Each structure stands twice: as C-alpha cells, then as structure tokens.
Amino acid sequence: MALNVPEILVKLVDNANLGKVVTDVGAGLALSIPFVMLLGTWTGISVLPADRLSELAQEIKDEEQHLAREQDGFRGPLEEAAKLTGSAPPRAEDTGEMLYSLARRQAAHLAAMLEVIDKQIDLAARGASRDGPSVERLSGQRTLLASLNDRLISQREAVDEILEHTGTLRNRREDAGSLVRNVEVFTDNLSAVLAFSVIFGVLLSQIQRLVFVDWIYDQILKRRRGGPTILSKIRQRAVRKKDYSELVSNYYRYVEGSINMIPAVLLFGLAFPNYANQRLALERIVRPGLFLAGSAAVTLLLAVSGFFTYRRFREKEEELASPK
C-alpha cells in the first residue's frame, strides 16, 4: 500500500537528524523537478497539465479550421434546397454560424414539406386526389427533398460533433492553465517525487562532500587529514557532544545545503528552457543561454557561500576544541 506524504516524512525523520534530512532530501527534491522535466521532454510524458497547453492550443486551432470547412459544406445543399423550395439561397458573405443556422431552418422546412408530400402520396394512392400529382411524381419529389434533408442533417451532425470536441478541448485547456489544477496534480504525485528525492539526496550528499569539502574547500584552507580530531576529543570528553551537534546544526548544515543545491540549479538551468519552449504555451520564448548564465551565477554564489560558511565552521570547531 502506498504511503502518503505525511507518512513518508515521518519515516524519513524517524530516528534521524532532522537537519540532515532537510539538506539531503530538500536538495534531492530540487534535483528531482528538473529531472522530471527532462524525462517529460525526452519521452513526451505529461508532467503537469500545463505542459499540454501548446498541444491543446494546436488541437483547438486544427478543430476550428475543420469546423470552418464543415460549416462551409452547408452551402451546396442549401443552394440546391433553395431551388427546389423557392426559398432564398445563402449569400456569399454568409459563413460559419450563419450557414449552420440556415441549415437548421432549411432542414426543419424540408421535414415539414416531406410530411405534406407523404399525405399527398397517401391520398393519391387511395385515389382520393384524382386531379393532383401522380404517386410517381410525388415520390420523385420526395426522394429529392429527402436526399437534401439527409445531407443537411448529416452535415449538421458532423458540425455538432466537432463543436462538442472543440468545447472539450477548450475545457481541457482551461484546466491545464489553472494554477489550482497544476498544484493539485503536483501534490498528488509528490509521493513519487519524494522517492526520487531520497535517492538523489543520498547520492548528492556523498558526491558533493567529496568534491567540494574534501577536494576544494579543505585544499583552499590548507587543511590536512590526520592528528587529533574533534570526534576524538568528544570521545575523550574534552568536548561535549551537544556543543558539537549545535555547531554542526548552526554551520555545517548550511554548507551542505549550499553545495547540495548546486547540481539542482545547474540541471534546472539546462532543463527548464527546453521544457518550457516545447511543452508550455508561453508568450515569449525562454532563452537557454540567458537562463543557463543565470543558473551558473547562482551556482557560483552557492559555492562561495558554502566555502565561507565552511571556513567559519572550521574556525568555530577549532575554538571549541581548544583548551579553555
């Protein structure tokens, strides 16, 4: 049975350091979002209702063009019916809804004429109308009128079907553009995204620590491994574990938060422009170069912020470990 979001969060924080969970899973969640965007771009899978706006807009445009052609298809039967019934033919400027309205009225008029002819045929067949048209002539007229009426009704049904489909597409487009609907879909799928977040968060934490802390920050600070560590002093009871835990929470967790967000920001800068331009109905095209430059700038700020916070953490750590 699937867990809901509160249950997942309880499982994550159960017997775990809350700050560690926030820095790891939070960064993993941030990385999951552009990853899902890339997945949607590559596979065509819909991530949010909004990413079908462009597709729905094109479908509506195609249906409107189809509707215009089908409505124009009323013109031929209406002109033929006008010759048979003596009614006014459609004008050259009559298009779209006007032709549809004329077709409905003409179909009703033809249906009434067919009822009259049916009665005349019945009277002629019984010999009650000897001076009137023969059954053969009436039957011929009925065949022509019925054929025209069937064509108009068939054309009207085709137009009605297109109108119904177009209305459905417009409703879908309205739902796709609704912020409430998009948030609702995102929260419904948040459990699956959190599963990615945990995996990404664990991997990010290990990789970013190795790259930034061990290979970059420690090298800049000329810090070498070896010698007595703060952990050894904790074991020797020279430093209280509670004090060191507070130091980690107040400083090192912010270092992890900064460096863990770097891959997420970079991937978002790469993924979002393509996703937005392909899947979202935006008035302006998102420029990948500018977006990538912005994400690179944010990445640099995160790396620098992480370094200065890490340096401060090490200074506080030395103060804590130094003899009083």
Side-chain angles (χ1 to χ4, degrees):
M1 182 177 179
L3 297 175
N4 57 33
V5 174
E7 290 174 335
I8 292 176
L9 295 178
V10 170
K11 293 291 184 182
L12 288 175
V13 302
D14 187 28
N15 297 324
N17 186 296
L18 180 59
K20 183 67 173 173
V21 171
V22 171
T23 56
D24 289 359
V25 178
L29 178 60
L31 185 62
S32 298
I33 294 174
F35 175 79
V36 172
M37 289 181 182
L38 283 176
L39 187 64
T41 303
W42 293 337
T43 63
I45 296 174
S46 178
V47 178
L48 292 172
D51 65 18
R52 293 202 65 230
L53 281 171
S54 296
E55 179 183 344
L56 288 170
Q58 185 60 48
E59 289 183 13
I60 291 173
K61 182 179 179 180
D62 292 342
E63 284 298 302
E64 288 176 344
Q65 292 175 349
H66 186 198
L67 176 63
R69 290 194 299 269
E70 291 296 327
Q71 287 177 330
D72 193 61
F74 285 122
R75 189 175 300 277
L78 284 173
E79 290 175 349
E80 293 181 30
K83 294 177 182 178
L84 289 176
T85 62
S87 58
R91 299 171 300 177
E93 60 269 22
D94 291 338
T95 58
E97 293 183 3
M98 177 58 69
L99 290 175
Y100 180 77
S101 178
L102 289 173
R104 289 176 63 90
R105 291 200 296 268
Q106 188 64 271
H109 181 55
L110 290 174
M113 291 182 66
L114 287 171
E115 290 183 5
V116 173
I117 291 177
D118 286 338
K119 292 179 180 179
Q120 290 177 340
I121 291 175
D122 182 60
L123 292 174
R126 289 184 294 161
S129 179
R130 296 178 182 178
D131 297 331
S134 64
V135 174
E136 290 76 10
R137 182 180 176 184
L138 291 171
S139 297
Q141 291 178 354
R142 190 189 188 288
T143 299
L144 290 175
L145 293 176
S147 176
L148 278 174
N149 192 44
D150 290 342
R151 287 170 61 188
L152 288 172
I153 292 175
S154 177
Q155 193 73 14
R156 189 187 67 191
E157 289 175 349
V159 169
D160 288 341
E161 184 177 347
I162 297 172
L163 286 172
E164 182 179 356
H165 187 214
T166 305
T168 301
L169 290 175
R170 289 197 178 102
N171 290 335
R172 290 179 183 174
R173 183 178 62 181
E174 184 176 349
D175 288 341
S178 168
L179 176 62
V180 174
R181 177 59 180 159
N182 281 274
V183 172
E184 182 181 89
V185 171
F186 178 77
T187 54
D188 288 344
N189 297 320
L190 188 57
S191 297
V193 177
L194 280 175
F196 283 108
S197 304
V198 174
I199 297 172
F200 288 149
V202 172
L203 293 175
L204 275 177
S205 178
Q206 302 303 315
I207 295 173
Q208 296 300 96
R209 177 186 175 88
L210 177 64
V211 173
F212 283 91
V213 175
D214 294 347
W215 292 354
I216 299 177
Y217 294 168
D218 280 344
Q219 294 300 317
I220 295 175
L221 296 174
K222 306 300 182 182
R223 185 173 179 274
R224 298 288 184 268
R225 303 295 176 183
T229 64
I230 189 71
L231 295 179
S232 65
K233 293 196 174 189
I234 291 175
R235 288 192 293 268
Q236 296 169 7
R237 299 183 183 277
V239 174
R240 294 191 306 173
K241 184 177 180 180
K242 178 182 178 182
D243 293 337
Y244 183 68
S245 296
E246 290 180 356
L247 182 63
V248 170
S249 298
N250 293 333
Y251 289 92
Y252 190 71
R253 291 294 172 243
Y254 291 97
V255 177
E256 289 185 318
S258 295
I259 62 178
N260 287 353
M261 284 297 296
I262 288 175
V265 172
L266 282 176
L267 186 61
F268 186 80
L270 290 170
F272 180 74
N274 289 331
Y275 175 78
N277 292 332
Q278 291 183 23
R279 307 298 297 275
L280 303 180
L282 301 179
E283 294 183 359
R284 295 183 179 180
I285 296 176
V286 178
R287 297 185 178 181
L290 293 177
F291 218 85
L292 185 58
S295 64
V298 174
T299 296
L300 180 61
L301 289 175
L302 288 171
V304 172
S305 172
F307 170 73
F308 283 108
T309 307
Y310 180 72
R311 186 177 68 177
R312 186 61 175 163
F313 167 71
R314 288 306 180 191
E315 291 172 353
K316 288 291 184 180
E317 187 181 61
E318 290 177 1
E319 292 178 8
L320 184 63
S322 61
K324 301 293 190 291

mmCIF file of all heavy atoms in Angstrom, residues 211-225 307 310:
data_model
loop_
_atom_site.group_PDB
_atom_site.id
_atom_site.type_symbol
_atom_site.label_atom_id
_atom_site.label_comp_id
_atom_site.label_asym_id
_atom_site.label_seq_id
_atom_site.Cartn_x
_atom_site.Cartn_y
_atom_site.Cartn_z
ATOM 1 N N VAL A 211 33.599 16.259 -3.405
ATOM 2 C CA VAL A 211 34.112 17.229 -4.377
ATOM 3 C C VAL A 211 34.413 18.572 -3.721
ATOM 4 O O VAL A 211 35.518 19.116 -3.844
ATOM 5 C CB VAL A 211 33.114 17.403 -5.533
ATOM 6 C CG1 VAL A 211 33.547 18.540 -6.453
ATOM 7 C CG2 VAL A 211 32.981 16.105 -6.316
ATOM 8 N N PHE A 212 33.439 19.133 -3.016
ATOM 9 C CA PHE A 212 33.609 20.499 -2.517
ATOM 10 C C PHE A 212 34.349 20.560 -1.183
ATOM 11 O O PHE A 212 35.237 21.395 -1.008
ATOM 12 C CB PHE A 212 32.235 21.176 -2.400
ATOM 13 C CG PHE A 212 31.675 21.622 -3.715
ATOM 14 C CD1 PHE A 212 30.864 20.787 -4.458
ATOM 15 C CD2 PHE A 212 31.977 22.872 -4.222
ATOM 16 C CE1 PHE A 212 30.354 21.196 -5.683
ATOM 17 C CE2 PHE A 212 31.478 23.286 -5.448
ATOM 18 C CZ PHE A 212 30.670 22.445 -6.188
ATOM 19 N N VAL A 213 33.960 19.706 -0.256
ATOM 20 C CA VAL A 213 34.591 19.786 1.066
ATOM 21 C C VAL A 213 35.999 19.204 1.043
ATOM 22 O O VAL A 213 36.971 19.875 1.432
ATOM 23 C CB VAL A 213 33.727 19.069 2.117
ATOM 24 C CG1 VAL A 213 34.442 19.048 3.477
ATOM 25 C CG2 VAL A 213 32.376 19.771 2.262
ATOM 26 N N ASP A 214 36.116 17.955 0.572
ATOM 27 C CA ASP A 214 37.419 17.287 0.627
ATOM 28 C C ASP A 214 38.392 17.789 -0.432
ATOM 29 O O ASP A 214 39.584 17.992 -0.149
ATOM 30 C CB ASP A 214 37.233 15.771 0.475
ATOM 31 C CG ASP A 214 36.477 15.171 1.646
ATOM 32 O OD1 ASP A 214 36.317 15.877 2.662
ATOM 33 O OD2 ASP A 214 36.036 14.003 1.546
ATOM 34 N N TRP A 215 37.920 17.966 -1.671
ATOM 35 C CA TRP A 215 38.831 18.299 -2.764
ATOM 36 C C TRP A 215 39.050 19.802 -2.964
ATOM 37 O O TRP A 215 40.081 20.191 -3.496
ATOM 38 C CB TRP A 215 38.327 17.702 -4.076
ATOM 39 C CG TRP A 215 38.390 16.197 -4.121
ATOM 40 C CD1 TRP A 215 38.943 15.368 -3.182
ATOM 41 C CD2 TRP A 215 37.876 15.372 -5.160
ATOM 42 N NE1 TRP A 215 38.803 14.060 -3.560
ATOM 43 C CE2 TRP A 215 38.147 14.025 -4.787
ATOM 44 C CE3 TRP A 215 37.214 15.597 -6.350
ATOM 45 C CZ2 TRP A 215 37.781 12.939 -5.573
ATOM 46 C CZ3 TRP A 215 36.850 14.515 -7.138
ATOM 47 C CH2 TRP A 215 37.136 13.208 -6.750
ATOM 48 N N ILE A 216 38.082 20.617 -2.575
ATOM 49 C CA ILE A 216 38.207 22.055 -2.857
ATOM 50 C C ILE A 216 38.380 22.864 -1.575
ATOM 51 O O ILE A 216 39.412 23.521 -1.375
ATOM 52 C CB ILE A 216 36.989 22.555 -3.657
ATOM 53 C CG1 ILE A 216 36.891 21.813 -5.003
ATOM 54 C CG2 ILE A 216 37.081 24.067 -3.889
ATOM 55 C CD1 ILE A 216 35.677 22.194 -5.832
ATOM 56 N N TYR A 217 37.387 22.833 -0.689
ATOM 57 C CA TYR A 217 37.425 23.693 0.492
ATOM 58 C C TYR A 217 38.619 23.384 1.388
ATOM 59 O O TYR A 217 39.325 24.301 1.840
ATOM 60 C CB TYR A 217 36.131 23.573 1.280
ATOM 61 C CG TYR A 217 34.900 24.090 0.573
ATOM 62 C CD1 TYR A 217 33.625 23.822 1.050
ATOM 63 C CD2 TYR A 217 35.009 24.877 -0.575
ATOM 64 C CE1 TYR A 217 32.490 24.299 0.409
ATOM 65 C CE2 TYR A 217 33.880 25.359 -1.224
ATOM 66 C CZ TYR A 217 32.632 25.066 -0.734
ATOM 67 O OH TYR A 217 31.515 25.542 -1.369
ATOM 68 N N ASP A 218 38.833 22.099 1.678
ATOM 69 C CA ASP A 218 39.954 21.737 2.546
ATOM 70 C C ASP A 218 41.294 22.082 1.911
ATOM 71 O O ASP A 218 42.250 22.447 2.612
ATOM 72 C CB ASP A 218 39.907 20.243 2.888
ATOM 73 C CG ASP A 218 38.904 19.947 4.000
ATOM 74 O OD1 ASP A 218 38.492 20.903 4.683
ATOM 75 O OD2 ASP A 218 38.531 18.766 4.172
ATOM 76 N N GLN A 219 41.366 21.989 0.584
ATOM 77 C CA GLN A 219 42.614 22.336 -0.095
ATOM 78 C C GLN A 219 42.861 23.849 -0.030
ATOM 79 O O GLN A 219 44.003 24.293 0.146
ATOM 80 C CB GLN A 219 42.572 21.875 -1.552
ATOM 81 C CG GLN A 219 42.528 20.365 -1.729
ATOM 82 C CD GLN A 219 43.744 19.687 -1.123
ATOM 83 O OE1 GLN A 219 44.872 20.151 -1.269
ATOM 84 N NE2 GLN A 219 43.514 18.575 -0.432
ATOM 85 N N ILE A 220 41.803 24.629 -0.183
ATOM 86 C CA ILE A 220 41.952 26.085 -0.090
ATOM 87 C C ILE A 220 42.369 26.496 1.316
ATOM 88 O O ILE A 220 43.213 27.381 1.505
ATOM 89 C CB ILE A 220 40.641 26.783 -0.495
ATOM 90 C CG1 ILE A 220 40.334 26.522 -1.981
ATOM 91 C CG2 ILE A 220 40.707 28.284 -0.232
ATOM 92 C CD1 ILE A 220 39.002 27.073 -2.434
ATOM 93 N N LEU A 221 41.800 25.851 2.308
ATOM 94 C CA LEU A 221 42.116 26.165 3.702
ATOM 95 C C LEU A 221 43.403 25.498 4.175
ATOM 96 O O LEU A 221 43.793 25.664 5.339
ATOM 97 C CB LEU A 221 40.959 25.740 4.614
ATOM 98 C CG LEU A 221 39.621 26.468 4.389
ATOM 99 C CD1 LEU A 221 38.532 25.849 5.261
ATOM 100 C CD2 LEU A 221 39.754 27.952 4.680
ATOM 101 N N LYS A 222 44.051 24.744 3.282
ATOM 102 C CA LYS A 222 45.283 24.023 3.623
ATOM 103 C C LYS A 222 45.077 23.090 4.815
ATOM 104 O O LYS A 222 45.942 22.926 5.670
ATOM 105 C CB LYS A 222 46.412 25.019 3.954
ATOM 106 C CG LYS A 222 46.687 26.055 2.884
ATOM 107 C CD LYS A 222 47.094 25.390 1.565
ATOM 108 C CE LYS A 222 47.422 26.450 0.513
ATOM 109 N NZ LYS A 222 47.768 25.862 -0.799
ATOM 110 N N ARG A 223 43.909 22.499 4.832
ATOM 111 C CA ARG A 223 43.589 21.603 5.945
ATOM 112 C C ARG A 223 43.935 20.184 5.543
ATOM 113 O O ARG A 223 43.527 19.693 4.509
ATOM 114 C CB ARG A 223 42.102 21.719 6.300
ATOM 115 C CG ARG A 223 41.688 20.920 7.507
ATOM 116 C CD ARG A 223 40.239 21.229 7.871
ATOM 117 N NE ARG A 223 39.818 20.456 9.022
ATOM 118 C CZ ARG A 223 39.336 19.215 8.964
ATOM 119 N NH1 ARG A 223 39.203 18.632 7.778
ATOM 120 N NH2 ARG A 223 38.982 18.567 10.051
ATOM 121 N N ARG A 224 44.650 19.485 6.368
ATOM 122 C CA ARG A 224 45.085 18.122 6.094
ATOM 123 C C ARG A 224 44.425 17.155 7.066
ATOM 124 O O ARG A 224 44.094 17.507 8.207
ATOM 125 C CB ARG A 224 46.604 17.994 6.219
ATOM 126 C CG ARG A 224 47.376 18.842 5.228
ATOM 127 C CD ARG A 224 47.247 18.255 3.829
ATOM 128 N NE ARG A 224 48.052 18.990 2.868
ATOM 129 C CZ ARG A 224 47.605 20.004 2.142
ATOM 130 N NH1 ARG A 224 46.349 20.391 2.278
ATOM 131 N NH2 ARG A 224 48.393 20.637 1.286
ATOM 132 N N ARG A 225 44.241 15.956 6.591
ATOM 133 C CA ARG A 225 43.699 14.909 7.452
ATOM 134 C C ARG A 225 44.773 14.429 8.420
ATOM 135 O O ARG A 225 45.971 14.541 8.174
ATOM 136 C CB ARG A 225 43.223 13.728 6.604
ATOM 137 C CG ARG A 225 42.184 14.112 5.568
ATOM 138 C CD ARG A 225 40.897 14.599 6.192
ATOM 139 N NE ARG A 225 39.931 15.042 5.210
ATOM 140 C CZ ARG A 225 38.754 15.569 5.515
ATOM 141 N NH1 ARG A 225 38.416 15.730 6.765
ATOM 142 N NH2 ARG A 225 37.930 15.947 4.560
ATOM 143 N N PHE A 307 31.662 27.933 0.900
ATOM 144 C CA PHE A 307 33.057 27.995 1.348
ATOM 145 C C PHE A 307 33.200 28.867 2.592
ATOM 146 O O PHE A 307 33.848 28.471 3.566
ATOM 147 C CB PHE A 307 33.948 28.533 0.231
ATOM 148 C CG PHE A 307 35.341 28.850 0.692
ATOM 149 C CD1 PHE A 307 36.247 27.839 0.975
ATOM 150 C CD2 PHE A 307 35.741 30.180 0.866
ATOM 151 C CE1 PHE A 307 37.523 28.131 1.424
ATOM 152 C CE2 PHE A 307 37.021 30.471 1.309
ATOM 153 C CZ PHE A 307 37.910 29.447 1.593
ATOM 154 N N TYR A 310 31.730 27.203 5.508
ATOM 155 C CA TYR A 310 32.588 26.075 5.926
ATOM 156 C C TYR A 310 33.816 26.594 6.662
ATOM 157 O O TYR A 310 34.236 26.022 7.679
ATOM 158 C CB TYR A 310 33.011 25.268 4.707
ATOM 159 C CG TYR A 310 33.889 24.087 5.035
ATOM 160 C CD1 TYR A 310 33.374 22.962 5.657
ATOM 161 C CD2 TYR A 310 35.250 24.106 4.715
ATOM 162 C CE1 TYR A 310 34.184 21.876 5.969
ATOM 163 C CE2 TYR A 310 36.066 23.025 5.012
ATOM 164 C CZ TYR A 310 35.524 21.914 5.645
ATOM 165 O OH TYR A 310 36.337 20.834 5.946
#
